[in-house]
Structures are given as C-alpha cells and as structure tokens.
Amino acid sequence: MEEFLLSRQYFDLANTLIPGGVNSPVRACKSVGMTPVFIEKANGCYIHDVDGNSYIDYVGSWGPMILGHNNHEVKGAVQNALEHGTSFGAPTWREIELAEKIIEMVPSIEMVRLVSSGTEATMSAIRLARAFTGRDKIIKFDGCYHGHADSFLVKAGSGVATLGIPGSPGVPSGTAENTISIPFNDFNALEDVLNKEGGNIAAVIVEPVPANMGVVPPHEDFLPTLRQWTAERDILLIFDEVITGFRLAPGGAQEFFDVMPDLTCLGKIIGGGLPVGAYGGRRDIMEQIAPAGQVYQAGTLSGNPLATAAGITTLNVLSRPGIYDVLEEKAATMADVLSELATSNGIACIIQRAGSIMTCFFGHNKPVINFEAAMKSDTAMYARFYKEMLMSGIYLAPSQFEAAFISLAHGWDDLDATFEAAEEIFKKLGNQ
Ligand code: KE4
C-alpha cells in the first residue's frame, strides 16, 4: 500500500474549505481513527485512490453500486442522455419510464414522486402522512436512520450513531417532541406506545431491515405485527427502503417479507449512482401531493434526465432472471466464510446479513437484535479490522454501524482475496 500522501494533502486542504473536509460525515473516517482516502476512479468492484492504491470495494457508494462501478450499460445510457442536455426543469419521457418501472417492481406502489435524495423521500413521506391523517406524531426505531431531516435526528443511526451525536443541535424541541423513538424488534414497547399515543400517530417509519446500526434483521413476526397494529389504528406504515429497495429482491424488503406498507421511500440503487430518490404508495394517499393535492413538495432537479437514465438502466438490469440468485450465493458464501475464519481465530464477532448486505459486529457472540445491543459492539476492534483490511486492499465502511454491500461485479476471485486478507487479519487480532 503506497503511503496516503496525496489523500492526506487533499484532506488537509479540504478541511480548510469544507466542514470536516467532507460533504457527508461518515466519509471522514473519524470513528476508525483514520483520515479518508480520496478516490480517483472506480471500475467493477474496484475503487482506486489518488495515491495509486486499489481496493476491492464493499461500500459501493453506500449502496447504489449494486451493478458495480462504471457499468457499461449505465454509462452508455447516461452518455446518450447527455447528448440532449443535462436538465430542463420540465417533464420528460424518462420520468414516466422510471415511474412505470418502479410501480412494476415495487408491489405496494401505485403512484410515485421522484426526488433527488433519500432524505427528500422520507421527509416528504412524513409530511404527506401527517397531512393525510391530520395527526402530528411519528414513531421511528432507535438506531434507524432516515436521512437528516429534523424529524428523524432522534436516536438515529448511521453517522449520528457513529459520531456519537446525541441527536442533533438545531432541531427545535417541538419537532423532536413529535418524534417517538422506540427499540426495534420490541413488541411490548410498540404496543405500549400505540395504546398510549395511537390516536396521535400519523405514521410509523421503519427500515424493514435496519442497516444503519449495522444490519439487524427483523424478528420474523415484527413486520407483520407492525403492519397489523398500524392498520388497526389508521396509522400509516412507511417502509424506508432507501437501502433495502431493489437490494433484497426486485421489489425490495416488502417483496422479500411479503409485508405491504402504505408508503415506501427509495433512493441509492434507484439512481444507479446518480441523485434519485422517490416516495410512493397508495394512490389515494399520493394524490394528496401538489399539484394534484394540497401537500407541497418540489425539487429543481427532480427527475433529472441523466439520473433517470441511470436509474432506468439499473432497474432494467436488475429485472433480468437470476440476478438476485447470484447476489445471494456470493453474499451467503462471504458471510459463512468470514464467520468461520473469525471463529477459528478466536475473534468474538457475529455476522448478520440480509440479502447482499451484511455487518460483522465485533464483541458479540449472540445475535444483535437492536440499537442498545449494537452500541455495545467492540468498536475499537472494528477500527483495527477496518484499518488492516484497508491496508490489505479491502475497502469497508469506516464504521461499525454500517453495512458491507456485495455487487454483481464482485467475482469469486475477489471474494477469495477478501477471505485471504481477513484470515491473516483475524489471526493478527486474535494474537493481540
Ligand atoms: P440520502 O439523503 O443520504 O440519499 O438518504 C438518506 C437515507 C435514508 N434512509 C436510509 C435507510 C439510509 O440509509 C439513508 C442514507 N444512508 C447513509 C449510509 N448509511 C448514506 C451515507 C451518508 O450519509 O453519507
């Protein structure tokens, strides 16, 4: 591994111009005690930094790159779109095509609005739920992350958990008071809050498989129970599928678990690496959105021609037969082999997986079922593992509270190289 000389120089300069030197906190690598490598380019499952180092990439831009980087079909579609301009601020055919594709693939979506990020999708869905129900409060789950809108920065996951920020300064107490956060997978806590506050709750928003406290699969009855108990109280159920959408199955977690929410939020994969988010669901709810209805939401670059071209092509590739079987085989193998290597070297860790996303929780030997448990992870051990893997050419999320993402571009030889590196590192950590 070449010294990270240029990355360090760039980071020093970036820190004088951009808060923390990054445009999104988790990229700063603070929690793993490192400074970030600056990326020059990426291809397939490989990412290359400015100092000439190459890595097998398991971050995949935090989820969008399920086809791998620089996919030739996606690149071609964007290049074709580019020939005709970059943004018009007027409706285009591609927005219809992407809407049709989303509605075709995601079982519960009858109507959809495109935005430019996952945060825009979730904040709009919450506003819509409040307008539709006439109620103000929402329920989220500790450790789940739904983007950085005020309503969600209460016991949130991802960078909020990684950086140990207690919520976020700047969120008015009145806003935070309308957000109730309870433990994930906790039926009693859910029943208590619904019995106490049910009539004031507009919506429950949930990552159907939380991936922002690390990957924490739902208890098998949790999502069906959530669906039943919200429906009984006319509370809208919102699935935040920004990560799980098009990841766990063509129709996301709602197809995978066969549980249908009232609204779904999408992002990441839907843009194929370009900025696209979306929210959609029941037609009677979505028709409340302006200009059809009174609930206002807007965006200059919503449905952008380049981004929709990338998104349509990505979803078309994902619609081909056998794609998810390939992802499942590789991800299952990776989880099994890494788990075996850790155990045989005496490393206390548990690997939790849902489809082609997984997290290795260090310091555990039984399932991590919620945020309280996840926060007890051995984050120092994770930091050591992260650094050693990076030095071995394996690029992981710089936080215990994130996921590793497998793409269609990861070949068996790439997985073998990953296992070889991990075995050496587990041996080293086991002897410390
Ligand atoms: P964006 O606004 O970052 O596009 O999406 C917000 C969001 C919403 N919902 C879920 C379930 C999410 O995971 C996210 C964003 N995920 C983080 C990584 N865990 C993005 C990485 C970052 O913040 O830089």
Side-chain angles (χ1 to χ4, degrees):
M1 209 44 68
E2 293 298 317
E3 275 305 301
F4 306 118
L5 294 180
L6 209 44
S7 280
R8 285 212 174 87
Q9 285 171 18
Y10 286 171
F11 192 53
D12 289 345
L13 176 56
N15 264 293
T16 66
L17 305 167
I18 303 166
V22 291
N23 285 307
S24 199
V26 284
R27 300 176 189 174
C29 299
K30 265 190 170 179
S31 75
V32 290
M34 292 187 72
T35 55
V37 292
F38 277 62
I39 301 306
E40 180 79 31
K41 61 184 178 182
N43 275 295
C45 73
Y46 284 85
I47 201 163
H48 310 275
D49 74 16
V50 293
D51 289 292
N53 302 305
S54 298
Y55 310 90
I56 298 172
D57 178 18
Y58 289 101
V59 177
S61 184
W62 303 93
M65 309 319 291
I66 193 168
L67 303 186
H69 292 287
N70 224 4
N71 173 276
H72 69 283
E73 294 182 81
V74 173
K75 188 161 75 170
V78 174
Q79 286 169 332
N80 288 340
L82 188 57
E83 287 301 309
H84 305 297
T86 55
S87 181
F88 314 124
T92 62
W93 162 249
R94 279 197 189 84
E95 292 163 81
I96 296 172
E97 201 177 356
L98 183 52
E100 284 179 333
K101 195 63 188 168
I102 294 163
I103 291 164
E104 172 200 314
M105 292 178 77
V106 185
S108 69
I109 294 184
E110 299 172 337
M111 183 173 260
V112 65
R113 168 61 64 85
L114 299 180
V115 292
S116 298
S117 71
T119 295
E120 276 190 273
T122 55
M123 63 186 268
S124 306
I126 290 296
R127 180 182 306 138
L128 174 57
R130 285 171 163 151
F132 186 77
T133 62
R135 303 170 181 175
D136 291 340
K137 289 183 185 289
I138 62 166
I139 292 173
K140 68 174 287 292
F141 295 91
D142 302 348
C144 285
Y145 178 73
H146 304 292
H148 64 87
D150 283 357
S151 294
F152 303 126
L153 295 178
V154 175
K155 296 183 188 174
S158 187
V160 182
T162 298
L163 298 173
I165 299 172
S168 171
V171 176
S173 54
T175 303
E177 280 156 16
N178 277 324
T179 301
I180 301 167
S181 193
I182 58 174
F184 185 70
N185 277 329
D186 188 331
F187 294 83
N188 294 333
L190 178 63
E191 187 172 36
D192 289 350
V193 74
L194 289 177
N195 288 341
K196 183 171 169 242
E197 294 275 3
N200 305 316
I201 306 292
V204 174
I205 185 167
V206 65
E207 293 178 62
V209 179
N212 285 291
M213 52 177 130
V215 176
V216 175
H219 180 285
E220 62 178 335
D221 298 330
F222 192 68
L223 296 177
T225 302
L226 201 48
R227 174 63 291 178
Q228 182 188 336
W229 288 0
T230 49
E232 287 168 353
R233 295 169 172 82
D234 294 325
I235 295 170
L236 297 189
L237 179 58
I238 302 174
F239 273 8
D240 176 350
E241 295 224 45
V242 169
I243 285 184
T244 56
F246 314 108
R247 171 65 65 174
L248 266 59
Q254 57 194 266
E255 175 187 322
F256 189 84
F257 294 106
D258 193 21
V259 173
M260 297 299 129
D262 299 298
L263 292 173
T264 300
C265 303
L266 299 165
K268 294 182 191 280
I269 289 172
I270 194 175
L274 271 69
V276 180
Y279 62 103
R282 282 170 34 194
R283 181 178 294 276
D284 63 321
I285 302 175
M286 289 303 293
E287 284 180 338
Q288 306 304 313
I289 290 289
Q294 301 294 302
V295 182
Y296 199 72
Q297 176 270 312
T300 302
L301 297 175
S302 298
N304 173 271
L306 307 188
T308 48
I312 291 161
T313 306
T314 299
L315 299 190
N316 284 336
V317 173
L318 291 174
S319 298
R320 293 171 189 162
I323 292 281
Y324 289 85
D325 297 336
V326 171
L327 285 168
E328 176 61 21
E329 186 185 8
K330 288 179 179 170
T333 302
M334 181 161 171
D336 292 347
V337 171
L338 289 179
S339 184
E340 173 52 38
L341 290 174
T343 305
S344 58
N345 284 285
I347 302 293
C349 79
I350 189 156
I351 293 180
Q352 298 189 166
R353 176 178 76 88
S356 54
I357 59 172
M358 67 185 79
T359 297
C360 181
F361 285 102
F362 285 91
H364 294 273
N365 49 31
K366 60 185 179 48
V368 174
I369 62 166
N370 59 27
F371 189 47
E372 183 185 7
M375 291 301 279
K376 290 174 182 166
S377 300
D378 184 344
T379 52
M381 177 72 84
Y382 182 86
R384 284 200 293 275
F385 181 67
Y386 170 84
K387 185 169 186 175
E388 293 287 351
M389 288 290 266
L390 188 77
M391 302 305 282
S392 304
I394 312 295
Y395 191 79
L396 299 174
S399 163
Q400 171 70 89
F401 309 114
E402 297 286 355
F405 298 84
I406 306 264
S407 80
L408 286 168
H410 285 88
W412 291 107
D413 51 340
D414 303 311
L415 294 186
D416 288 342
T418 305
F419 302 151
E420 280 168 36
E423 182 167 27
E424 286 310 304
I425 293 163
F426 283 140
K427 278 201 180 85
K428 193 172 177 182
L429 295 177
N431 292 332
Q432 281 180 352

